[in-house]
């Protein structure tokens, strides 16, 4: 959990302090990515479709649907964990955005546009959070190679969604790292708290096959 938060804490201090080498790196990377993507409208359109399909609202909906599905299956404490995780991720992200208030990249001919402060990336944050929640919900139902496939799919979606933001010129590269770090930290933190829930907090959960009473 602490390891997951380290990139966020380091970048938070450097961005808030306007550390010149980091600012220069972000500016150079943003310009290079813009110069590479801008001449290819088809690629830019594909990136916009992808970032919308797996964007912040899409991941919020996926997370809440996963929570509802867990609730239907009487995995009550896990459903509450999923709902609490998506709520805290959004809360932490909003607090950091308003606190740091970092401007987004600006170009004379922008590929795409976005509003609000830039640090950390909400898309990167919610991609990691949403995929983490969905992965934790479905892994107990999978066996063998399907578990590995689920991990790969979740990682690919989270990474590609996060990377689509600087490619579209609406986030600095370090915003993405910070957003993913915050997502990992939030999921790890809430999982840790969920693991140590007392038995009384799980009284409405459906018993697992191992713990169900035998006839």
């Amino acid at each position: 959990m602490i390891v997951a938060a380290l990139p966020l804490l380091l970048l938070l201090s450097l961005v808030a302090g306007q550390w010149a080498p980091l600012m220069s790196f972000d500016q150079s990377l943003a310009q290079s990515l813009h110069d590479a993507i801008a001449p290819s409208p088809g690629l830019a359109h594909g990136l916009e479709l992808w970032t919308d399909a797996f964007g912040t609202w899409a991941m919020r909906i996926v997370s809440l649907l996963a929570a509802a599905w867990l609730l239907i299956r009487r995995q009550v404490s896990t459903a509450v964990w999923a709902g609490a995780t998506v709520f805290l991720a959004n809360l932490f992200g909003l607090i950091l955005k308003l606190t740091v208030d970092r401007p987004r990249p600006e170009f004379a001919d922008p590929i795409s546009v976005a509003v609000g402060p830039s640090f950390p990336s909400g898309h990167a944050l919610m991609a990691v959070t949403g995929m983490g929640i969905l992965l934790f919900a479905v892994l107990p139902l999978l066996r063998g190679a399907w578990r590995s496939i689920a991990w790969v799919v979740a990682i690919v979606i989270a990474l590609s969604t996060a990377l689509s933001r600087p490619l579209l010129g609406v986030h600095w590269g370090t915003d993405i790292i910070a957003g993913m770090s915050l997502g990992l930290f939030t999921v790890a933190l809430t999982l840790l708290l969920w693991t140590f829930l007392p038995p009384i907090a799980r009284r409405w959960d459906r018993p697992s096959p191992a713990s169900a009473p035998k006839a």
Side-chain angles (χ1 to χ4, degrees), residues 67-79:
W69 178 71
L70 288 165
L71 197 58
I72 292 171
R73 289 174 55 82
R74 287 178 51 201
Q75 299 299 315
V76 181
S77 65
T78 314

Side-chain angles (χ1 to χ4, degrees), residues 31-92:
Q31 189 62 56
S32 297
L33 292 177
H34 178 270
D35 293 344
I37 302 299
S40 306
L43 176 57
H45 182 62
L47 288 169
E48 286 186 324
L49 290 176
W50 186 268
T51 199
D52 288 341
F54 298 101
T56 51
W57 275 108
M59 288 296 100
R60 287 167 185 156
I61 292 171
V62 165
S63 300
L64 294 177
L65 287 176
W69 178 71
L70 288 165
L71 197 58
I72 292 171
R73 289 174 55 82
R74 287 178 51 201
Q75 299 299 315
V76 181
S77 65
T78 314
V80 172
W81 162 79
T85 300
V86 69
F87 172 78
L88 288 175
N90 281 276
L91 179 62
F92 293 159

Side-chain angles (χ1 to χ4, degrees), residues 89-150:
N90 281 276
L91 179 62
F92 293 159
L94 178 62
I95 291 172
L96 283 177
K97 278 181 176 288
L98 295 177
T99 301
V100 179
D101 197 24
R102 187 185 196 186
R104 293 178 184 267
E106 293 184 359
F107 302 95
D109 54 338
I111 300 170
S112 185
V113 294
V115 297
S118 187
F119 182 95
S121 164
H123 276 68
L125 165 62
M126 285 312 303
V128 171
T129 303
M131 286 296 102
I133 290 171
L134 188 59
L135 190 63
F136 187 72
V138 303
L139 274 182
L141 305 178
L142 302 177
R143 296 292 180 269
W146 287 108
R147 294 174 67 89
S148 300
I149 293 172

